Amino acid sequence: MERRPNAESLPEPTDLTSRDIMTNADDYHAFSTTGDRLRKIGVDEFNKFQRRGTTLDHELRHLSQAARQLGGSVGILSSSFQLRERLAQVLFLLRDNAANLFPHKGFSSREALMVPGLHQQGRKRKRYKAHTHVVRPRTVEDLDPEDLPYVLEMFARDVTTLLDCLDEFPVFTQETVTASLRLLEGDLKYWASCLKAHEGKFRDLAVQKYSNDISSEMGEHFDSVTSALGVFIEIGVPAIRFSQEHASRNLLNLSTVATFFSAVTATTMQFSYTMTGGGTAVAVNSFWFTSLVFSIGAAVNSLLGLTWKQAMYRSPGNRVPWWVLIWIKRSPLVFLVLSVMCFSMGLVLFAYASGQHMITSTLTTVFSAFSCFGLAAVSMWFASERWVFFRNEGQKLLADVILETQACMMPVSGISWLVYEIRPLLATVSQWSRQQFRGASNLLSRVSSRIMRRSSTMDQSMEMLEENSTGSHALDTTPEPTSPLPIHTTDVGPLLPISEVRNPTAVSTEASNTNTTMSRPDTGTTLDAEAPAPKRRFVNAVGSVMKLLEASRPAKTQRRIAAVVPKLRDLTMTQHLPAHRALVKHMQFSPDGKFLATSSWDRTSVIFQVGHTFESYRVLAHPHGYVGQVAWSPSGKMLLTQLQRAVEVWTEDGIRKKSIVRQQNVQSIAWLPSGEGFMIIEGSAVLKLDLNGKVLETAQFDQTLLYDVAVTSDCERMLCVGRLTVSKDGLQPSKSRGEKQIIVYNLNKKTIEVRVPVLDDIRVISLSQDDKLALVSYHKASPQLWKLDVAEDTVCLSLDNTYMPEMPTEFAGPSYFGGKSDQLVVSAGKAGDIYVWDRRSAVLLHHIRGQDLAGSYLTCVAWNSAAESFMFAAGTYDGAVRIWTIPIAPDPVNDMSSGKVTTT
């Protein structure tokens, strides 16, 4: 191969040709602004979350205003106010966290987020009133970042309180409101429980980033809750108001009827109160006096219930004693029914006591008994309907319960006899009654027809008399006189919908936060309300120094980047190998760079011999399942292939040495640096096996589903990535993504040293050659570089770089270190794009666009670190393997012929 100069022998950047990247000032500026781009993305994401929180706060304020029209809305008012207070605390803590994570002039200092005037000594604090465009009255207490789990837990409790208060109005049951609030409550509890496990680390960069990622998930909840509350305000509040007005009218009508009936009872008592002798007279007065008491009680209780229902400050139903609810809601109607029954019984007795005719007494007795029986039956029906409704939660009607009861009682012999024996008798009685009624109706019709004929004869005689009368005059018709009183029309228009009478509010708070000024009383000068505190000034100074350092990179760094970029631009796809019949799942170059091993879903693995042209060296058949992963030993003499429940050990010549069958699914495999054994992942456990399949050690990680593992070269530590199945308190997320973790485990001490939380779907982790850096690959998010610092017995894992593509990309397979001394990071996108970044600066050095290459989408990528020149391979969905190298000869014709294939 052609030997190329190293970085040290290259000329200074000022002497490079126009093709080299460092001669262009704009390109160099792109290198120096990678951190600014990440900062800008973080600031934009948080501002989006803050706007969502502002909108939710406005909707809660609208809910409070609309609920004032309802009776018993004190629960909604208090819970919504408490929820807004807690929302302000959440926004404060997350904004302070974002300000520390992404230093930016758009973020206010902690002092500026507090209530103005608290830091002024010797001055009387004025009552702070929030304007309509402010998110909330600024928090009074100086919250600490460690308080975030507690605040989220209290936020969940306040959401539950608001939901309970909304459930106090069963007239309007909107599933979207309940579902959105329940999902928010569940995720808030889950986040609080997960964050409690990182107590004391909320100033670490990793935990701060995890907290910031939670804000985006929380913002989606805010949107759904805001939409649901808007529906409740627009539809639910008018429906509840109509129902309450209807109930108030019923109580008012009941009070009117009870008042009228008490007057009737008092009037009839004038005929009987003088009757004091005899048992019948005493009974008459007793019943009528009782009826008067019940009727007055019904009228008074109706007015009392009307006042209580319309009161905004009345307590919710679950906070009122049961006897108070029964007295207010049930006593008016019950008292009125009892009053009517007592009056009817007293009236029957009065008919007998006053010596009325037998017919009068009999008719009074019969009709009173009939009306009382009907009143009692209807009252029992109403009471039964209510009991059935609440017992079956509205799923059954009273008629359904009666039919079910009848079907259950029919097998009883006595009941069946009564039903089947009495039914013919009742039919006979009904037929006789119909015949008698028909005869009576016929008699009445004949009498009425005779009366009608007589009346028609009289009308004809009157008409003849009018015709013979003299002096017939035409009747003068005069217009109907108009009323001298003016017609009054109301000037009150129709009630506007609630949405049309809301107070206008502005949802933009950024302008108000950045433009707010205050004047000094003594000097009259204007000061910036966000004047930086000493801590903020220190952060700004550090940021300025870092920018200056970025702007003045050492010449060595410039030479390094200038040496790499031309090589990357010379990379060309030299071969397209049809390796498999299904997608390529994973691939890896051997440590010496002589072989490339691939795995596929066609149940085969292929070993290619690396050279000027790649030749298929061996095909490894796996009849028991598809191959998910391949792994070369550190010496390059052995190869592991991972199946669903087995691991097979091969030589470089394709000879199967051992087939290790496992009882559980094998998620991932990784060689030990010594090459004497390897690690496998089974669920929540990492097992250390020798080459014969004997389990040497087991590390169990409870409540964590592991995905991948990597071991340091000194075999002292291993790094694992996985997903948290349940939180510390046994909770699971309701809607949001679950927490993932990067775990550092000490193999000697058998303890977990570090747990770093992340929110993105983590998949693969790999270590650099010096074990100081860990490259983490995600399912959809950008790859990240984590720095592993070990000082004596203290281990720290901190985020070093995030490798951003030009456009949002869904990545395929694991990312790899590339170049000499792991100076590059390479990753592939599913759409066919391949990205190469500088490891130290996270600058995108080269981008191979997928649309420029014909073929299927990519599934994985692998870099040959042992090759003298740059070389990497990429697998596709159609089973092909693409090879990118730097052509040596000017002849562009590639030798695509493959060698003899040996199947084992």
Side-chain angles (χ1 to χ4, degrees):
M1 285 189 178
E2 179 184 51
R3 181 176 180 83
R4 293 189 173 269
N6 55 26
E8 299 296 336
S9 61
L10 285 174
E12 292 294 327
T14 56
D15 299 331
L16 296 177
T17 63
S18 59
R19 184 181 178 184
D20 296 327
I21 192 170
M22 297 310 297
T23 58
N24 192 328
D26 294 336
D27 292 337
Y28 180 73
H29 180 69
F31 289 135
S32 62
T33 57
T34 303
D36 292 338
R37 182 187 175 192
L38 293 175
R39 252 190 317 270
K40 184 178 183 303
I41 292 175
V43 171
D44 292 341
E45 287 294 327
F46 181 80
N47 288 337
K48 181 180 179 181
F49 162 72
Q50 189 171 19
R51 287 192 295 270
R52 287 172 167 176
T54 304
T55 307
L56 177 59
D57 179 80
H58 291 165
E59 204 65 29
L60 289 172
R61 184 164 62 246
H62 295 157
L63 176 64
S64 301
Q65 294 173 356
R68 293 179 183 275
Q69 309 172 35
L70 306 178
S73 60
V74 63
I76 296 180
L77 296 178
S78 61
S79 60
S80 60
F81 179 80
Q82 183 63 33
L83 193 62
R84 293 179 64 199
E85 290 284 350
R86 200 70 65 184
L87 177 62
Q89 296 178 3
V90 172
L91 292 178
F92 175 82
L93 287 174
L94 292 180
R95 183 179 178 85
D96 186 54
N97 177 79
N100 294 328
L101 190 61
F102 311 109
H104 191 267
K105 62 181 180 180
F107 286 118
S108 304
S109 61
R110 290 182 62 88
E111 289 77 9
L113 293 175
M114 310 302 292
V115 175
L118 286 183
H119 61 282
Q120 300 176 2
Q121 299 293 334
R123 295 185 181 181
K124 184 178 180 181
R125 191 193 328 178
K126 296 182 180 180
R127 183 180 181 87
Y128 181 77
K129 182 178 180 181
H131 299 285
T132 56
H133 61 275
V134 178
V135 177
R136 275 293 306 136
R138 297 181 180 181
T139 177
V140 176
E141 49 187 327
D142 188 3
L143 296 173
D144 189 82
E146 298 290 338
D147 297 332
L148 183 59
Y150 170 77
V151 172
L152 291 179
E153 190 174 7
M154 293 298 100
F155 194 17
R157 188 190 65 178
D158 296 336
V159 170
T160 306
T161 304
L162 177 62
L163 184 59
D164 294 339
C165 294
L166 293 178
D167 290 340
E168 288 293 325
F169 302 92
V171 177
F172 180 79
T173 55
Q174 182 68 24
E175 294 296 333
T176 56
V177 179
T178 304
S180 59
L181 290 176
R182 289 296 183 193
L183 291 176
L184 176 59
E185 173 200 3
D187 281 342
L188 286 173
K189 290 181 178 179
Y190 174 77
W191 293 328
S193 179
C194 291
L195 289 173
K196 286 179 182 177
H198 308 289
E199 184 178 0
K201 302 178 182 179
F202 282 88
R203 288 179 174 83
D204 294 348
L205 185 62
V207 180
Q208 287 180 347
K209 186 180 184 305
Y210 176 67
S211 302
N212 185 74
D213 292 340
I214 287 178
S215 64
S216 61
E217 302 283 330
M218 195 182 303
E220 297 179 1
H221 281 290
F222 287 173
D223 284 344
S224 60
V225 172
T226 300
S227 177
L229 290 179
V231 173
F232 180 81
I233 294 172
E234 299 293 339
I235 302 176
V237 171
I240 296 172
R241 183 181 179 185
F242 174 79
S243 175
Q244 290 184 348
E245 290 178 351
H246 179 71
S248 300
R249 286 194 297 269
N250 290 339
L251 287 175
L252 187 60
N253 295 335
L254 191 63
S255 176
T256 303
V257 172
T259 303
F260 174 76
F261 195 76
S262 62
V264 172
T265 305
T267 302
T268 54
M269 286 177 58
Q270 296 180 3
F271 300 98
S272 64
Y273 77 95
T274 56
M275 300 170 55
T276 57
T280 307
V282 173
V284 170
N285 288 327
S286 299
F287 279 114
W288 279 358
F289 273 97
T290 305
S291 175
L292 181 61
V293 171
F294 279 131
S295 61
I296 295 175
V300 174
N301 289 341
S302 298
L303 294 177
L304 182 62
L306 177 63
T307 306
W308 185 77
K309 281 184 173 295
Q310 292 179 345
M312 180 185 67
Y313 51 81
R314 68 176 174 89
S315 302
N318 57 352
R319 302 294 182 88
V320 180
W322 62 269
W323 57 272
V324 176
L325 290 177
I326 292 178
W327 184 266
I328 292 177
K329 293 183 177 181
R330 304 288 177 263
S331 63
L333 184 59
V334 173
F335 281 8
L336 184 60
V337 171
L338 293 177
S339 176
V340 171
M341 296 180 68
C342 291
F343 180 81
S344 300
M345 296 175 66
L347 184 62
V348 170
L349 294 176
F350 180 75
Y352 289 101
S354 60
Q356 300 294 325
H357 194 272
M358 183 58 65
I359 297 177
T360 303
S361 302
T362 303
L363 291 177
T364 303
T365 303
V366 171
F367 288 122
S368 297
F370 183 76
S371 62
C372 290
F373 175 77
L375 185 62
V378 171
S379 301
M380 287 295 297
W381 180 269
F382 287 166
S384 301
E385 281 184 332
R386 180 178 179 82
W387 179 78
V388 169
F389 177 82
F390 285 103
R391 182 178 179 83
N392 299 280
E393 298 180 355
Q395 298 180 0
K396 290 184 180 180
L397 300 177
L398 179 59
D400 300 332
V401 176
I402 293 176
L403 290 177
E404 293 177 358
T405 305
Q406 182 180 354
C408 294
M409 297 182 65
M410 285 302 295
V412 181
S413 58
I415 300 298
S416 60
W417 180 84
L418 289 176
V419 172
Y420 291 109
E421 294 297 331
I422 294 180
R423 183 178 296 174
L425 179 61
L426 293 177
T428 304
V429 173
S430 176
Q431 183 178 3
W432 178 84
S433 301
R434 285 196 298 270
Q435 291 177 356
Q436 297 298 324
F437 180 77
R438 190 180 299 109
S441 62
N442 292 335
L443 178 61
L444 291 175
S445 62
R446 287 195 298 270
V447 172
S448 61
S449 61
R450 186 174 301 173
I451 294 174
M452 292 296 295
R453 285 197 299 271
R454 289 183 179 179
S455 62
S456 61
T457 304
M458 293 177 64
D459 292 339
Q460 292 177 1
S461 301
M462 292 296 294
E463 289 178 359
M464 293 176 63
L465 291 175
E466 290 179 357
E467 290 177 357
N468 296 332
S469 63
T470 59
S472 301
H473 302 284
L475 298 177
D476 297 333
T477 59
T478 58
E480 183 180 358
T482 59
S483 174
L485 298 177
I487 299 176
H488 296 280
T489 59
T490 177
D491 55 354
V492 180
L495 292 177
L496 295 176
I498 295 176
S499 60
E500 298 181 11
V501 295
R502 293 180 179 173
N503 293 331
T505 56
V507 297
S508 176
T509 60
E510 297 174 6
S512 62
N513 288 337
T514 56
N515 297 330
T516 304
T517 59
M518 61 181 179
S519 61
R520 190 186 298 272
D522 51 356
T523 63
T525 58
T526 302
L527 301 177
D528 189 358
E530 296 183 358
K535 179 181 177 181
R536 176 61 60 185
R537 289 197 297 270
F538 175 74
V539 172
N540 293 338
V542 172
S544 300
V545 172
M546 292 176 64
K547 290 183 179 180
L548 291 175
L549 291 176
E550 279 189 9
S552 57
R553 276 204 179 102
K556 184 177 179 180
T557 303
Q558 298 181 15
R559 289 196 300 268
R560 173 176 55 83
I561 296 178
V564 170
V565 172
K567 293 182 180 181
L568 293 175
R569 288 180 175 177
D570 290 340
L571 281 171
T572 306
M573 189 178 69
T574 56
Q575 297 185 69
H576 184 91
L577 308 175
H580 299 278
R581 297 188 301 271
L583 65 86
V584 181
K585 179 64 176 175
H586 185 253
M587 59 174 54
Q588 188 181 63
F589 284 94
S590 61
D592 55 8
K594 296 181 180 180
F595 296 99
L596 171 66
T598 64
S599 64
S600 173
W601 283 5
D602 64 354
R603 301 189 177 188
T604 62
S605 294
V606 179
I607 300 177
F608 290 94
Q609 190 170 11
V610 178
H612 177 60
T613 58
F614 280 54
E615 296 181 356
S616 180
Y617 183 65
R618 291 290 187 270
V619 177
L620 313 179
H622 299 78
H624 300 293
Y626 70 87
V627 187
Q629 184 183 356
V630 292
W632 287 99
S633 64
S635 62
K637 302 299 182 181
M638 306 291 289
L639 178 69
L640 295 179
T641 57
Q642 173 247 322
L643 286 77
Q644 184 175 4
R645 289 195 175 184
V647 178
E648 296 191 351
V649 185
W650 305 79
T651 64
E652 63 178 355
D653 295 328
I655 300 175
R656 183 187 288 110
K657 300 290 292 183
K658 185 70 175 179
S659 181
I660 303 172
V661 180
R662 302 296 304 167
Q663 300 300 320
Q664 298 183 11
N665 292 340
V666 179
Q667 183 66 31
S668 180
I669 54 177
W671 279 94
L672 294 174
S674 61
E676 298 177 354
F678 56 92
M679 298 285 193
I680 66 171
I681 292 179
E682 294 182 352
S684 301
V686 179
L687 289 78
K688 179 180 178 181
L689 280 68
D690 60 11
L691 297 180
N692 295 320
K694 181 181 178 181
V695 179
L696 303 178
E697 295 181 13
T698 301
Q700 187 71 33
F701 299 87
D702 296 332
Q703 302 177 348
T704 305
L705 181 62
L706 300 177
Y707 294 142
D708 197 20
V709 61
V711 184
T712 58
S713 57
D714 57 1
C715 292
E716 185 175 353
R717 292 177 176 85
M718 69 176 179
L719 279 73
C720 307
V721 294
R723 175 176 59 87
L724 200 66
T725 55
V726 293
S727 68
K728 182 180 179 181
D729 300 328
L731 302 177
Q732 292 183 346
S734 301
K735 179 183 176 182
S736 68
R737 294 172 292 174
E739 178 181 320
K740 289 81 179 178
Q741 291 185 348
I742 305 175
I743 303 173
V744 180
Y745 183 82
N746 193 307
L747 293 172
N748 297 329
K749 298 180 180 179
K750 306 295 187 299
T751 58
I752 297 176
E753 295 180 321
V754 177
R755 283 181 181 265
V756 175
V758 293
L759 199 60
D760 294 317
D761 294 330
I762 197 169
R763 284 295 179 264
V764 182
I765 186 170
S766 57
L767 291 172
S768 60
Q769 297 177 9
D770 57 2
D771 294 334
K772 294 182 179 180
L773 300 172
L775 183 61
V776 178
S777 304
Y778 297 91
H779 178 55
K780 293 183 179 180
S782 301
Q784 291 180 341
L785 188 68
W786 293 78
K787 189 175 182 181
L788 183 64
D789 295 324
V790 180
E792 296 180 356
D793 294 336
T794 304
V795 179
C796 179
L797 192 63
S798 58
L799 180 62
D800 189 57
N801 273 323
T802 300
Y803 301 100
M804 300 291 296
E806 294 178 348
M807 299 294 292
T809 304
E810 186 175 357
F811 293 93
S815 302
Y816 275 87
F817 289 108
K820 298 297 183 181
S821 302
D822 298 335
Q823 61 180 335
L824 304 176
V825 172
V826 60
S827 184
K830 288 186 176 180
D833 298 277
I834 298 176
Y835 303 93
V836 182
W837 294 275
D838 179 57
R839 190 204 71 194
R840 298 181 183 179
S841 61
V843 174
L844 181 61
L845 302 179
H846 192 48
H847 178 200
I848 301 175
R849 302 184 183 277
Q851 58 266 28
D852 298 338
L853 302 173
S856 179
Y857 291 162
L858 299 183
T859 57
C860 57
V861 68
W863 188 279
N864 190 354
S865 299
E868 294 183 3
S869 62
F870 288 167
M871 176 189 299
F872 66 89
T876 63
Y877 271 95
D878 57 7
V881 175
R882 300 173 181 175
I883 307 298
W884 271 267
T885 58
I886 299 176
I888 299 177
D891 186 6
V893 180
N894 298 323
D895 186 10
M896 300 296 292
S897 60
S898 60
K900 183 177 179 180
V901 178
T902 303
T903 304
T904 59

